[in-house]
PDB file of all heavy atoms in Angstrom:
ATOM      1  N   TYR A 724    -150.482 182.859 -74.695  1.00 91.00           N
ATOM      2  CA  TYR A 724    -151.068 184.190 -74.716  1.00 91.00           C
ATOM      3  C   TYR A 724    -150.623 184.955 -73.563  1.00 91.00           C
ATOM      4  O   TYR A 724    -150.480 184.405 -72.467  1.00 91.00           O
ATOM      5  CB  TYR A 724    -152.566 184.280 -74.934  1.00 91.00           C
ATOM      6  CG  TYR A 724    -153.150 183.411 -76.005  1.00 91.00           C
ATOM      7  CD1 TYR A 724    -153.359 182.109 -75.874  1.00 91.00           C
ATOM      8  CD2 TYR A 724    -153.431 183.946 -77.236  1.00 91.00           C
ATOM      9  CE1 TYR A 724    -153.789 181.288 -76.826  1.00 91.00           C
ATOM     10  CE2 TYR A 724    -153.756 183.219 -78.336  1.00 91.00           C
ATOM     11  CZ  TYR A 724    -154.085 181.880 -78.177  1.00 91.00           C
ATOM     12  OH  TYR A 724    -154.553 181.196 -79.201  1.00 91.00           O
ATOM     13  N   ASN A 725    -150.322 186.262 -73.668  1.00 88.00           N
ATOM     14  CA  ASN A 725    -150.034 187.106 -72.616  1.00 88.00           C
ATOM     15  C   ASN A 725    -151.338 187.572 -71.906  1.00 88.00           C
ATOM     16  O   ASN A 725    -152.424 187.141 -72.324  1.00 88.00           O
ATOM     17  CB  ASN A 725    -149.123 188.367 -72.891  1.00 88.00           C
ATOM     18  CG  ASN A 725    -149.791 189.181 -73.945  1.00 88.00           C
ATOM     19  OD1 ASN A 725    -150.965 189.275 -74.098  1.00 88.00           O
ATOM     20  ND2 ASN A 725    -148.996 190.172 -74.596  1.00 88.00           N
ATOM     21  N   TRP A 753    -138.819 187.002 -71.306  1.00 88.00           N
ATOM     22  CA  TRP A 753    -140.268 187.392 -71.323  1.00 88.00           C
ATOM     23  C   TRP A 753    -140.475 188.328 -70.061  1.00 88.00           C
ATOM     24  O   TRP A 753    -139.923 188.235 -69.088  1.00 88.00           O
ATOM     25  CB  TRP A 753    -141.163 186.096 -71.129  1.00 88.00           C
ATOM     26  CG  TRP A 753    -141.238 185.245 -72.402  1.00 88.00           C
ATOM     27  CD1 TRP A 753    -140.339 185.231 -73.349  1.00 88.00           C
ATOM     28  CD2 TRP A 753    -142.250 184.324 -72.709  1.00 88.00           C
ATOM     29  NE1 TRP A 753    -140.709 184.374 -74.324  1.00 88.00           N
ATOM     30  CE2 TRP A 753    -141.913 183.820 -73.884  1.00 88.00           C
ATOM     31  CE3 TRP A 753    -143.541 183.930 -72.081  1.00 88.00           C
ATOM     32  CZ2 TRP A 753    -142.720 182.903 -74.566  1.00 88.00           C
ATOM     33  CZ3 TRP A 753    -144.174 183.010 -72.727  1.00 88.00           C
ATOM     34  CH2 TRP A 753    -143.881 182.505 -73.947  1.00 88.00           C
ATOM     35  N   MET A 754    -141.570 189.167 -70.334  1.00 86.00           N
ATOM     36  CA  MET A 754    -141.971 190.047 -69.201  1.00 86.00           C
ATOM     37  C   MET A 754    -142.561 189.295 -67.969  1.00 86.00           C
ATOM     38  O   MET A 754    -143.289 188.328 -68.329  1.00 86.00           O
ATOM     39  CB  MET A 754    -142.971 191.170 -69.685  1.00 86.00           C
ATOM     40  CG  MET A 754    -142.355 192.137 -70.632  1.00 86.00           C
ATOM     41  SD  MET A 754    -143.590 193.382 -71.097  1.00 86.00           S
ATOM     42  CE  MET A 754    -143.936 194.107 -69.592  1.00 86.00           C
ATOM     43  N   GLY A 756    -145.307 188.204 -65.427  1.00 84.00           N
ATOM     44  CA  GLY A 756    -146.633 188.344 -65.394  1.00 84.00           C
ATOM     45  C   GLY A 756    -147.287 186.950 -65.574  1.00 84.00           C
ATOM     46  O   GLY A 756    -146.719 185.875 -65.487  1.00 84.00           O
ATOM     47  N   THR A 757    -148.600 186.850 -65.800  1.00 86.00           N
ATOM     48  CA  THR A 757    -149.347 185.655 -65.909  1.00 86.00           C
ATOM     49  C   THR A 757    -149.610 185.243 -67.444  1.00 86.00           C
ATOM     50  O   THR A 757    -149.969 186.280 -68.163  1.00 86.00           O
ATOM     51  CB  THR A 757    -150.737 185.745 -65.310  1.00 86.00           C
ATOM     52  OG1 THR A 757    -150.549 185.933 -63.828  1.00 86.00           O
ATOM     53  CG2 THR A 757    -151.579 184.408 -65.394  1.00 86.00           C
ATOM     54  N   TYR A 758    -149.257 184.101 -67.892  1.00 88.00           N
ATOM     55  CA  TYR A 758    -149.471 183.650 -69.346  1.00 88.00           C
ATOM     56  C   TYR A 758    -150.438 182.535 -69.304  1.00 88.00           C
ATOM     57  O   TYR A 758    -150.625 181.734 -68.385  1.00 88.00           O
ATOM     58  CB  TYR A 758    -148.218 183.150 -69.804  1.00 88.00           C
ATOM     59  CG  TYR A 758    -147.271 184.411 -70.076  1.00 88.00           C
ATOM     60  CD1 TYR A 758    -146.403 184.758 -69.060  1.00 88.00           C
ATOM     61  CD2 TYR A 758    -147.293 185.101 -71.299  1.00 88.00           C
ATOM     62  CE1 TYR A 758    -145.563 185.904 -69.185  1.00 88.00           C
ATOM     63  CE2 TYR A 758    -146.252 186.126 -71.449  1.00 88.00           C
ATOM     64  CZ  TYR A 758    -145.492 186.579 -70.371  1.00 88.00           C
ATOM     65  OH  TYR A 758    -144.578 187.630 -70.609  1.00 88.00           O
ATOM     66  N   PHE A 759    -151.330 182.577 -70.436  1.00 90.00           N
ATOM     67  CA  PHE A 759    -152.370 181.491 -70.503  1.00 90.00           C
ATOM     68  C   PHE A 759    -151.946 180.686 -71.763  1.00 90.00           C
ATOM     69  O   PHE A 759    -151.437 181.162 -72.690  1.00 90.00           O
ATOM     70  CB  PHE A 759    -153.670 182.116 -70.734  1.00 90.00           C
ATOM     71  CG  PHE A 759    -154.016 183.091 -69.668  1.00 90.00           C
ATOM     72  CD1 PHE A 759    -153.596 184.452 -69.543  1.00 90.00           C
ATOM     73  CD2 PHE A 759    -154.829 182.625 -68.562  1.00 90.00           C
ATOM     74  CE1 PHE A 759    -153.952 185.262 -68.486  1.00 90.00           C
ATOM     75  CE2 PHE A 759    -155.140 183.535 -67.583  1.00 90.00           C
ATOM     76  CZ  PHE A 759    -154.739 184.832 -67.489  1.00 90.00           C
ATOM     77  N   LYS A 776    -152.780 178.098 -67.051  1.00 88.00           N
ATOM     78  CA  LYS A 776    -151.868 179.350 -67.072  1.00 88.00           C
ATOM     79  C   LYS A 776    -150.636 179.082 -66.199  1.00 88.00           C
ATOM     80  O   LYS A 776    -150.479 178.161 -65.422  1.00 88.00           O
ATOM     81  CB  LYS A 776    -152.659 180.456 -66.331  1.00 88.00           C
ATOM     82  CG  LYS A 776    -153.083 180.251 -64.905  1.00 88.00           C
ATOM     83  CD  LYS A 776    -153.842 181.419 -64.508  1.00 88.00           C
ATOM     84  CE  LYS A 776    -154.354 181.154 -63.000  1.00 88.00           C
ATOM     85  NZ  LYS A 776    -155.132 182.271 -62.446  1.00 88.00           N
ATOM     86  N   PHE A 777    -149.585 179.995 -66.385  1.00 85.00           N
ATOM     87  CA  PHE A 777    -148.454 179.803 -65.668  1.00 85.00           C
ATOM     88  C   PHE A 777    -147.907 181.278 -65.491  1.00 85.00           C
ATOM     89  O   PHE A 777    -148.315 182.216 -66.095  1.00 85.00           O
ATOM     90  CB  PHE A 777    -147.291 178.976 -66.318  1.00 85.00           C
ATOM     91  CG  PHE A 777    -146.885 179.382 -67.694  1.00 85.00           C
ATOM     92  CD1 PHE A 777    -145.832 180.389 -67.828  1.00 85.00           C
ATOM     93  CD2 PHE A 777    -147.544 178.930 -68.852  1.00 85.00           C
ATOM     94  CE1 PHE A 777    -145.421 180.704 -69.076  1.00 85.00           C
ATOM     95  CE2 PHE A 777    -147.091 179.336 -70.088  1.00 85.00           C
ATOM     96  CZ  PHE A 777    -145.988 180.304 -70.185  1.00 85.00           C
ATOM     97  N   ARG A 779    -144.598 183.899 -65.025  1.00 83.00           N
ATOM     98  CA  ARG A 779    -143.189 184.200 -65.379  1.00 83.00           C
ATOM     99  C   ARG A 779    -142.534 185.005 -64.242  1.00 83.00           C
ATOM    100  O   ARG A 779    -143.139 186.098 -63.999  1.00 83.00           O
ATOM    101  CB  ARG A 779    -143.068 184.913 -66.827  1.00 83.00           C
ATOM    102  CG  ARG A 779    -141.765 185.403 -67.038  1.00 83.00           C
ATOM    103  CD  ARG A 779    -140.733 184.379 -67.304  1.00 83.00           C
ATOM    104  NE  ARG A 779    -139.494 185.003 -67.470  1.00 83.00           N
ATOM    105  CZ  ARG A 779    -138.448 185.189 -66.518  1.00 83.00           C
ATOM    106  NH1 ARG A 779    -138.698 184.674 -65.241  1.00 83.00           N
ATOM    107  NH2 ARG A 779    -137.412 185.681 -66.853  1.00 83.00           N
TER     108      ARG A 779
END
Side-chain angles (χ1 to χ4, degrees):
Y724 304 85
N725 62 18
W753 288 22
M754 293 181 62
T757 301
Y758 292 84
F759 302 85
K776 63 182 179 179
F777 61 88
R779 164 71 183 96

